Amino acid sequence: MDLMTAALNFVVPPASLVMLTFAWPTLTFINTCEWIYNTFFTSEDMENKVVVITGASSGIGEQISYEYAKRRANLVLIARRENRLRGISENARRLGARHVLIMAADVVKEDDCRRFINETINYFGRVDHLVNTASLGHTFYFEEATDSSVFPILMDINFWGNVYPTYVALPYLRQSSGRIVVNASVENWLPLPRMSLYSAAKSALVNFYETLRFEVKDDVGITVATHGWIGTEMTRGKFMVEEGAEMQWKEEREVHASGGPVEEFAKLIVSGACRGDPYVKYPSWYDIFFLYRVFAPKVLYWTFRFLLINGGERRTSFIGTGRPLLETSPRRLIGGPVTTSQSLQQQLKLE
């Protein structure tokens, strides 16, 4: 048995790569034909359908709301910033949304999720799409965090903030043969420094929905959207504490990498969900790194270590770690280092 295992370990990886190389043109042709057919002949008409969108107050959630509005859907917008939702609901109506409900709720609380799903059912009588976009990132090295209370917060937002709405809405989605749309990230499998907890939460999230896909079979569709760098509040350096919330902060990522527009990603997500695509990827060329991770992990490790990790002094902002900002940080406030609490008071932007 050990000899058989050793032989398979030696033969299967290169043989699989050779087979994939020869099959790639055929698979590409089949996927293209399937995309054309689903786009022009079987794409779901969202007019008068009911779409619940969490995390709709900004970023991807806001732009997805507008894309569904253009398809004349009925929208239920969920976020903790109700004042932001009012303006977004007006924009959605102007773009074509039939009806728009807004509700302030915390998706990490099951009772809140039950409330907004029940109110949706009471008003519209159905749920067709559930779009989970709530997300929370960080940019500190794991060993630099002195306040471990931020750990469950990251897991709550990025994992349970998707699971609870899904758990409550799933019976109604079965009735309508609806769809769940998940906002994941390429970091769920692509290792990047200073994002350990975020990556772990996204990995758990993707594996949860991949398992759920088998459990619900064809009764409920699931579209997992993964993105690389996009221009949302998380990458633009906004600090935010929501009034009445325990804690929520979003940091800029200090790695200098270009990002595509969030509007384009939102359009791809909604188009893919209406076509019934199981995956939406932006940009799709990130997938090539997955092959390196499986077949040549050391190449991937050294490549990203060379590209992404500074050889000199660390420049972590320390927001959320309980430590003061580094004096050498190029984004520090004028006048010297600031403690975490001071920086939140001076740098946050309330909306």
Side-chain angles (χ1 to χ4, degrees), residues 93-327:
R93 289 188 181 94
R94 285 194 291 269
L95 289 171
R98 291 298 185 89
H99 300 89
V100 183
L101 296 183
I102 62 172
M103 287 181 242
D106 190 343
V107 292
V108 304
K109 297 177 180 177
E110 184 181 347
D111 290 341
D112 278 19
C113 295
R114 289 193 180 279
R115 174 173 57 83
F116 68 71
I117 292 297
N118 288 337
E119 290 188 21
T120 300
I121 296 300
N122 291 336
Y123 191 87
F124 292 109
R126 60 186 296 158
V127 175
D128 295 287
H129 283 200
L130 170 66
V131 184
N132 295 312
T133 70
S135 187
L136 180 64
H138 68 85
T139 61
F140 53 79
Y141 288 92
F142 180 73
E143 64 181 349
E144 294 169 339
T146 59
D147 182 7
S148 60
S149 65
V150 302
F151 298 169
I153 294 172
L154 286 161
M155 182 59 73
D156 285 346
I157 296 291
N158 292 307
F159 183 73
W160 296 112
N162 291 262
V163 172
Y164 285 141
T166 299
Y167 176 68
V168 176
L170 194 56
Y172 304 107
L173 291 168
R174 281 186 180 274
Q175 294 175 6
S176 63
S177 297
R179 177 163 295 273
I180 302 168
V181 181
V182 186
N183 175 35
S185 174
V186 72
E187 284 90 352
N188 79 85
W189 61 264
L190 185 64
L192 291 176
R194 292 184 287 190
M195 304 188 71
S196 55
L197 296 171
Y198 176 81
S199 298
K202 288 298 185 180
S203 180
L205 181 68
V206 170
N207 280 280
F208 167 77
Y209 280 106
E210 293 292 6
T211 304
L212 184 64
R213 194 195 302 276
F214 286 104
E215 294 181 1
V216 299
K217 301 178 181 178
D218 295 329
D219 294 342
V220 178
I222 296 177
T223 296
V224 177
T226 57
H227 60 78
W229 298 99
I230 55 175
T232 67
E233 286 185 342
M234 191 178 292
T235 58
R236 288 173 182 163
K238 287 190 178 183
F239 298 90
M240 178 175 58
V241 173
E242 299 181 11
E243 186 176 357
E246 292 84 356
M247 176 181 180
Q248 184 166 350
W249 40 262
K250 296 187 179 181
E251 290 189 354
E252 62 185 327
R253 296 172 178 175
E254 295 173 337
V255 177
H256 299 293
S258 58
V262 63
E263 295 85 357
E264 184 176 349
F265 182 48
K267 186 178 297 184
L268 289 175
I269 290 176
V270 176
S271 298
C274 292
R275 281 195 306 268
D277 293 349
Y279 304 99
V280 174
K281 301 172 183 179
Y282 181 82
S284 59
W285 60 263
Y286 275 72
D287 287 351
I288 193 63
F289 292 118
F290 191 78
L291 290 177
Y292 281 98
R293 180 181 178 182
V294 174
F295 294 103
K298 289 185 178 180
V299 173
L300 183 66
Y301 171 77
W302 286 108
T303 300
F304 276 88
R305 182 170 181 177
F306 175 77
L307 292 176
L308 299 176
I309 300 180
N310 295 325
E313 185 177 6
R314 293 180 177 180
R315 293 161 58 187
T316 302
S317 66
F318 290 165
I319 296 295
T321 67
R323 297 189 179 191
L325 300 181
L326 287 178
E327 295 187 37

